[in-house]
Amino acid sequence: MKIFQCGHCNHSVFFENYSCENCGHLTGFRDLDRKMLTFKPDEVALFSDRENIEYKYCKNKEYEVCNWILEKDSPEVYCNACQLNRTIPNLSDSENFEKWQHLEIAKHRLVYQLQKIGLPLYSKMEDENGLCFDFVVQQDDPNLMTGHANGVVTILLKEADSVQREQMRKHFSEPYRTLVGHLRHEVGHYFWDRLVYTNQSTLTEFRAVFGDEQRNYGDALTAYYENGAPKDWQKSFISKYATAHPWEDWAETWAHYLHIMDMVETAYFFGVNVKPITKLREMKAKVTFDPYTKEDFDVIVRTCVPLSFAVNSINRAMGVPDVYPFVITPPVVEKLKFIHKLLLPKR
């Protein structure tokens, strides 16, 4: 993600900030051009410091889950990210409220990234081929599971509980389990329907890279949960779960593609330069480009590997888990390239 600055004092602000911590001016994100606008804190009307245009906050601002803005005369009351919500939990429950806040932070970052790629995001409530999110409590319906079906991404609220999420990570022997990771994975299923299934030549190429998705999905998942991943799964897959079925391989690889692009983009805006004193050539990386503008994915990978190794090393120095505990093998790179090539025309 890019670096944002206060339009009044030029102090750095985070994507989720509601105000500048330095001067107190209000902040609001305009997704049309991915800019953070600022407003005087003591005025009712939101006139941008940079423009003479009046704005209003998304209605979800009242819950402190959204700082996105719309033009004052917009007929919409929710921003483009919040319009994708079909179901939110009962907010009278304080535990539900806090978990929903965490989910919204992850979802807004996901929407920012999908918009930057240039992917269309239509609300399923307005278009049957669109996308929507159900943030639900499992106890309301024991059959509910995190997943995707026909444009509906369902996320169990318990995923936003860090303790339960860690328990599930250990139960499934996963090295990594995050909210944004879940969202990136599940939305990958949605875009498989939109970008791959609807184009015969793309579908043929997909099968050559990922395998034949026509094999029975239910049987494949049952076999995976009974037998686990093959012993040599690391050679061709980004995760154990990716071995379950070509659809899951796609969704896992899609999520990691978004992980990598976001990591490199953030490093670019911070001007990160990895130059170890050991002078190991393969561990050098100078992030001088926005990955979303780079056609050659090999360049992105060559930058990502030393970058992630450096960040992982810093995390280990602090006694916390690796930020990116995965190995990107040549077969996985080919899968990532397939996605990169597919998305290039969208930019």
Side-chain angles (χ1 to χ4, degrees), residues 106-123:
K107 188 201 73 182
H108 279 69
R109 283 184 169 256
L110 170 71
V111 173
Y112 166 94
Q113 187 174 30
L114 297 177
Q115 287 180 333
K116 178 153 187 179
I117 290 171
L119 290 166
L121 292 172
Y122 306 113
S123 169

Side-chain angles (χ1 to χ4, degrees), residues 210-230:
F210 290 88
D212 189 353
E213 86 294 344
Q214 295 176 97
R215 57 185 274 227
N216 189 280
Y217 180 69
D219 291 346
L221 284 190
T222 299
Y224 170 76
Y225 286 118
E226 288 180 353
N227 306 317

Side-chain angles (χ1 to χ4, degrees), residues 274-280 284:
V274 180
K275 190 178 180 181
I277 61 173
T278 54
K279 297 183 179 179
L280 292 173
K284 290 183 178 181

Side-chain angles (χ1 to χ4, degrees), residues 240-252:
K240 289 182 178 180
Y241 191 51
T243 68
H245 187 276
W247 279 338
E248 298 304 340
D249 192 10
W250 158 271
E252 285 287 271

Side-chain angles (χ1 to χ4, degrees), residues 29-296:
F29 178 74
R30 183 173 65 191
D31 67 323
L32 178 66
D33 52 5
R34 293 181 293 281
K35 287 185 177 181
M36 190 70 72
L37 302 186
T38 51
F39 313 94
K40 293 180 180 179
D42 54 352
E43 293 186 7
V44 176
L46 294 178
F47 282 97
S48 169
D49 286 334
R50 296 170 177 168
E51 308 164 350
N52 190 31
I53 300 175
E54 187 175 3
Y55 292 91
K56 62 183 178 182
Y57 278 112
C58 169
K59 194 173 188 297
N60 276 336
K61 165 71 162 54
E62 64 182 285
Y63 300 114
E64 296 289 298
V65 297
C66 180
N67 66 345
W68 291 26
I69 56 174
L70 307 89
E71 290 196 11
K72 179 67 175 179
D73 59 357
S74 170
E76 303 292 345
V77 294
Y78 291 104
C79 70
N80 288 324
C82 290
Q83 286 177 40
L84 299 176
N85 288 352
R86 189 176 73 167
T87 306
I88 63 171
N90 178 5
L91 300 183
S92 63
D93 185 320
S94 60
E95 290 188 8
N96 285 354
F97 181 70
E98 183 179 357
K99 292 171 185 174
W100 180 52
Q101 285 181 315
H102 293 313
L103 284 166
E104 284 296 335
I105 289 172
K107 188 201 73 182
H108 279 69
R109 283 184 169 256
L110 170 71
V111 173
Y112 166 94
Q113 187 174 30
L114 297 177
Q115 287 180 333
K116 178 153 187 179
I117 290 171
L119 290 166
L121 292 172
Y122 306 113
S123 169
K124 192 170 182 64
M125 286 72 80
E126 303 294 333
D127 184 333
E128 63 178 8
N129 294 317
L131 174 70
C132 70
F133 294 91
D134 286 350
F135 299 129
V136 297
V137 179
Q138 192 175 35
Q139 65 189 36
D140 295 339
D141 182 352
N143 295 318
L144 286 172
M145 298 289 289
T146 290
H148 166 266
N150 301 317
V152 180
V153 171
T154 301
I155 303 292
L156 297 181
L157 211 62
K158 66 181 182 181
E159 290 289 353
D161 184 313
S162 59
V163 174
Q164 290 194 48
R165 191 168 63 250
E166 177 63 11
Q167 290 173 342
M168 287 187 282
R169 185 192 70 78
K170 291 182 177 179
H171 175 73
F172 291 113
S173 299
E174 299 171 337
Y176 179 91
R177 192 179 183 96
T178 65
L179 291 181
V180 74
H182 271 312
L183 289 168
R184 285 170 173 165
H185 174 102
E186 299 303 343
V187 85
H189 287 299
Y190 169 74
F191 282 109
W192 187 87
D193 292 340
R194 303 273 75 79
L195 303 176
V196 179
Y197 182 68
T198 55
N199 187 302
Q200 186 57 51
S201 62
T202 303
L203 182 58
T204 299
E205 188 178 353
F206 166 86
R207 289 171 179 166
V209 176
F210 290 88
D212 189 353
E213 86 294 344
Q214 295 176 97
R215 57 185 274 227
N216 189 280
Y217 180 69
D219 291 346
L221 284 190
T222 299
Y224 170 76
Y225 286 118
E226 288 180 353
N227 306 317
K231 290 183 178 179
D232 61 348
W233 66 269
Q234 297 97 329
K235 294 181 180 179
S236 302
F237 299 90
I238 194 65
S239 70
K240 289 182 178 180
Y241 191 51
T243 68
H245 187 276
W247 279 338
E248 298 304 340
D249 192 10
W250 158 271
E252 285 287 271
T253 306
W254 171 280
H256 280 265
Y257 174 80
L258 297 185
H259 289 337
I260 290 167
M261 297 296 280
D262 201 1
M263 187 188 336
V264 176
E265 182 200 19
T266 303
Y268 163 67
F269 279 104
F270 275 94
V272 173
N273 182 9
V274 180
K275 190 178 180 181
I277 61 173
T278 54
K279 297 183 179 179
L280 292 173
R281 186 174 181 181
E282 65 274 15
M283 283 294 102
K284 290 183 178 181
K286 189 172 184 179
V287 191
T288 59
F289 60 90
D290 183 339
Y292 295 98
T293 65
K294 185 66 67 174
E295 184 173 347
D296 187 350

Side-chain angles (χ1 to χ4, degrees), residues 324-339:
Y324 192 72
F326 301 93
V327 177
I328 306 173
T329 61
V332 172
V333 171
E334 291 306 308
K335 295 173 183 179
L336 292 165
K337 282 183 178 179
F338 175 85
I339 294 173

